[in-house]
Amino acid sequence: EVQLVESGGGLVQPGRSLRLSCAVSGFIFDDYAMHWVRQVPGKGLEWVSGISWNSGSIGYADSVKGRFTISRDNANNSLHLQMNSLRAGDTAFYYCVKDIASSFSDSSGYLIGESWFDPWGQGTLVTVSS
Amino acid sequence: DIQMTQSPSSLSASVGDRVTITCRASQSIATYLNWYQQKPGKAPRLLIYAASNLHSGVPSRFSGSGSGTDFTLTISSLQPEDFATYYCQQCYYSPLTFGPGTKVDIK
């Protein structure tokens, strides 16, 4: 059974940092691209960042570019999101998501092949507040 | 960035009704369009991928169609477990973007 388990969420003050992790099992981790998607409670979904199987291609939403860093450790089947300079607007549930594709995008931003997200982790809540 | 819109934003329907949700992209995305269902307190789950392909385990009352900029998700006969919020997503160009969602509730 494929499992994605996020951790690292919590309450943090504006301007501080937090690191999310996602432990995966049940599939060959380094065969697939991975993503982080977030959702403000009661609101819609926002893609945050994605990373190809070998970390060779990485993308970010404009809202987090320069502040968040996605990474993966294929040896330990884990995905991470380093979040710096956190703002109140970053308060959300953060979901770890597996892609069907192995690659992400090319240098122009176009995705390499088809992509869809399945499955999703249960989410971890990040609250940015003083 | 590619903007995704959905209509309606919400709808009320009865069990057995046929329901259609529309998703529109701000530019052509071929068939790089997925649909997800989310129930309260749960993570989203994949329903339809590549515009018209039913994900494994999803009931056949769900179907998707469209290409280019206009897409639809249809539930042929609404069941009690289908009351949820539905999101479309383009996977053509980064940043990947979701529609704002369509909430389907009970009439």
Side-chain angles (χ1 to χ4, degrees), chain A residues 10-16 18 86-92 94 126-130:
Chain A
L11 175 64
V12 61
Q13 293 179 328
R16 304 298 292 265
L18 206 60
L86 283 161
R87 308 165 178 167
D90 296 317
T91 294
Y94 284 75
V126 173
T127 303
V128 184
S129 175
S130 54

Side-chain angles (χ1 to χ4, degrees), chain A:
Chain A
E1 179 191 6
V2 174
Q3 285 198 318
L4 309 171
V5 180
E6 302 95 338
S7 61
L11 175 64
V12 61
Q13 293 179 328
R16 304 298 292 265
S17 299
L18 206 60
R19 187 179 192 235
L20 304 183
S21 295
C22 175
V24 313
S25 60
F27 65 99
I28 302 174
F29 183 58
D30 55 7
D31 274 356
Y32 298 95
M34 298 291 295
H35 303 266
W36 289 98
V37 175
R38 69 184 181 183
Q39 184 174 37
V40 174
K43 301 298 183 182
L45 301 170
E46 180 188 18
W47 176 80
V48 172
S49 182
I51 185 169
S52 64
W53 68 279
N54 63 351
S55 305
S57 175
I58 287 174
Y60 297 97
D62 290 344
S63 58
V64 307
K65 201 173 294 184
R67 300 187 299 123
F68 289 11
T69 302
I70 192 172
S71 63
R72 63 190 295 161
D73 180 349
N74 286 349
N76 291 296
N77 290 351
S78 59
L79 177 72
H80 305 283
L81 186 68
Q82 178 66 42
M83 304 186 294
N84 298 333
S85 303
L86 283 161
R87 308 165 178 167
D90 296 317
T91 294
F93 285 96
Y94 284 75
Y95 294 101
C96 168
V97 187
K98 172 184 166 292
D99 202 326
I100 187 64
S102 59
S103 299
F104 180 49
S105 66
D106 63 21
S107 59
S108 299
Y110 291 95
L111 265 68
I112 301 171
E114 293 183 319
S115 168
W116 53 86
F117 294 178
D118 178 67
W120 298 54
Q122 86 286 352
T124 188
L125 179 61
V126 173
T127 303
V128 184
S129 175
S130 54

Side-chain angles (χ1 to χ4, degrees), chain A residues 39 108-109 111 115 117-118 121, chain B residues 34 36 38 43 89 92-94:
Chain A
Q39 184 174 37
S108 299
L111 265 68
S115 168
F117 294 178
D118 178 67
Chain B
N34 307 314
Y36 301 88
Q38 186 179 33
Q89 177 209 27
Y92 181 71
Y93 187 80
S94 180

Side-chain angles (χ1 to χ4, degrees), chain B residues 50-74:
Chain B
S52 60
N53 296 276
L54 195 66
H55 182 52
S56 174
V58 175
S60 59
R61 61 181 179 273
F62 290 92
S63 64
S65 65
S67 66
T69 60
D70 295 317
F71 303 86
T72 59
L73 172 70
T74 299

